[in-house]
Amino acid sequence: IDLIAGGKSKKTKRTEPKSDDVYLKLLVKANRYLVRRTESKFNAVILKRLFMSKVNKAPLSLSRLVRYMDGKDGKIAVIVGTVTDDVRIEDVPALTVTALRFTESARARIHKAGGECLTFDQLALPCPTWSENTVLLRGPKNTREAVKHFGPAPGVPHSHTKPYVRQTGKKIEIARGRRRSRGFKV
C-alpha cells in the first residue's frame, strides 16, 4: 500500500510502465515530451495507455479493425497494443495503422492490400499532436478466458459464470441444480 503522512493514498496511478522494455521506455520518453510541449489530449491518452498492463492493452484483430475503420477513409488507425491477423476476413482494404506491434501475418496482409504499418515515432513526425485525421482504437478487454469465470458462483440461479472443471462430459457437474430429477434445474 502507498502510505503517506495522512494514511493510504486513494488516488494512485502509474507514472511509468512496469516493463523493462527499453523501446517502450524510449517511446514513453518521446511521448512525455510531446505531451508537455503540445498540451494535446490525444498524446496524454496515448501516454496513459503506454503505462498500462498487458491485460489492459488487449490485441485488436484485423476483422475488427476493418469494421471500425469502415467509412473513415484517409484516417490513421492508432492502437496501443497488438494488431493480430484474422483468417475469417477475406479482403482487407488499404489501411494506415499505427500500433505497438503487429503479428507477421497481419503486417503482411496490410502491406499486400496497399496499406501501411507505422510505429508511434513514425506517426509523430508528420503530425506531432496526432489528433489530426487519426482514430484511436482499443481491443476488447473482456474476451479473455479468465473473464468468463468471473461473477456469481456457477450453479447459483441466473449465473452465467463458467465453472472451473477438469473436463466437460456427460457426468461432470450435471447433478443437483442442473436437472429436474436432482432437486431443481437452474
Side-chain angles (χ1 to χ4, degrees):
I1 42 179
D2 299 286
L3 285 174
I4 52 170
K8 72 174 187 202
S9 171
K10 293 190 181 80
K11 285 187 178 176
T12 56
K13 59 181 184 181
R14 284 191 182 185
T15 52
E16 58 183 6
K18 263 194 174 168
S19 166
D20 291 325
D21 184 357
V22 287
Y23 297 106
L24 184 63
K25 287 190 172 179
L26 280 169
L27 205 55
V28 165
K29 201 173 185 179
N31 225 45
R32 269 217 176 96
Y33 173 78
L34 286 171
V35 170
R36 196 172 67 243
R37 295 302 296 268
T38 60
E39 295 178 0
S40 162
K41 289 260 177 77
F42 191 91
N43 293 54
V45 172
I46 296 286
L47 184 64
K48 189 177 78 174
R49 289 191 190 179
L50 286 171
F51 297 159
M52 287 182 177
S53 61
K54 190 179 174 185
V55 164
N56 291 316
K57 287 188 291 199
L60 186 70
S61 70
L62 208 51
S63 58
R64 265 179 204 269
L65 179 61
V66 169
R67 198 166 73 223
Y68 292 154
M69 293 303 287
D70 187 38
K72 296 183 175 75
D73 301 328
K75 295 207 173 209
I76 303 168
V78 180
I79 300 112
V80 184
T82 311
V83 174
T84 55
D85 189 18
D86 197 336
V87 292
R88 296 170 299 181
I89 187 168
E90 285 184 14
D91 47 328
V92 180
L95 297 168
T96 307
V97 190
T98 305
L100 280 181
R101 56 186 68 84
F102 296 85
T103 60
E104 278 183 37
S105 47
R107 189 186 291 274
R109 287 187 73 180
I110 290 168
H111 281 309
K112 191 179 175 186
E116 209 177 351
C117 298
L118 302 173
T119 57
F120 280 94
D121 50 334
Q122 286 173 323
L123 178 69
L125 293 172
C127 46
T129 56
W130 291 349
S131 49
E132 305 104 37
N133 64 28
T134 51
V135 181
L136 187 58
L137 302 171
R138 51 164 66 169
K141 202 176 98 176
N142 291 339
T143 52
R144 290 188 307 140
E145 171 62 25
V147 176
K148 293 175 184 175
H149 298 283
F150 300 165
V156 171
H158 312 299
S159 160
H160 299 289
T161 310
K162 189 175 183 179
Y164 289 107
V165 290
R166 58 194 164 88
Q167 69 191 73
T168 53
K170 201 173 80 169
K171 300 186 188 117
I172 312 293
E173 294 210 9
I174 53 155
R176 187 171 180 275
R178 284 293 179 186
R179 48 173 71 187
R180 299 247 180 270
S181 62
R182 298 286 181 276
F184 66 99
K185 168 94 172 75
V186 172

